[in-house]
Amino acid sequence: QVQLVESGGGLVQPGGSLRLSCAASGSIFSPNVMGYYRQAPGKERELVADITSSSRTNYAESVKGRFTISRDNPKNTMYLQMNNLKPEDTGVYYCNLMAWGKAYWGQGTQVTVSS
C-alpha cells in the first residue's frame, strides 16, 4: 500500500506564490509517475502537472511558465512550485502516484487565490 501526505496549500493573493509538497511512503514501485491534479467547485478533476521517475515533466497549458514540478527520489517527495497565481488556479489540489497499473491519491489540499 502507498500513502501520500500533502502539505503547503493556503490562501494567497493574485500574483503570489505557493509551494506544495507530497510525501510518499509504503510500497513504492518504480518506475512510477507522480503528479498533481486539481478540482475546482463544479468542475471535473484535471491534471496540473506530472513527473516521471526519470524527471520527465508534463504540464497543463494553463500553468506552463508559472508552475514547476520536481521530485526528490531518495526522499520519495514531490514538489509543485506555483508562481504568478491566478484566481482560476483556485481548487483542491490532489497528489497522485501511478505505478504498475495502480493509482494512489492524497487527501487533497485547498489552494485559494483571492484578493
Side-chain angles (χ1 to χ4, degrees):
Q1 188 68 309
V2 173
Q3 294 79 42
L4 302 174
V5 178
E6 305 177 45
S7 59
L11 171 65
V12 64
Q13 293 186 343
S17 297
L18 283 175
R19 189 192 195 207
L20 304 183
S21 299
C22 174
S25 62
S27 301
I28 302 168
F29 294 99
S30 292
N32 59 64
V33 180
M34 296 187 75
Y36 275 99
Y37 290 70
R38 68 186 178 193
Q39 188 164 20
K43 294 188 176 181
E44 294 186 354
R45 192 173 298 189
E46 62 176 359
L47 174 68
V48 176
D50 60 24
I51 183 168
T52 67
S53 301
S54 57
S55 296
R56 188 173 71 245
T57 60
N58 173 52
Y59 294 92
E61 285 295 327
S62 60
V63 307
K64 281 183 179 178
R66 300 188 297 121
F67 291 11
T68 302
I69 193 168
S70 60
R71 63 189 290 172
D72 184 334
N73 286 334
K75 294 183 178 179
N76 290 320
T77 301
M78 173 180 63
Y79 306 96
L80 184 68
Q81 178 66 41
M82 304 186 293
N83 298 328
N84 190 22
L85 282 159
K86 303 176 180 180
E88 51 264 42
D89 295 317
T90 295
V92 179
Y93 283 66
Y94 295 93
C95 173
N96 170 269
L97 186 149
M98 298 185 67
W100 295 90
K102 292 188 177 181
Y104 304 90
W105 292 93
Q107 78 282 5
T109 186
Q110 178 69 43
V111 171
T112 302
V113 184
S114 175
S115 55

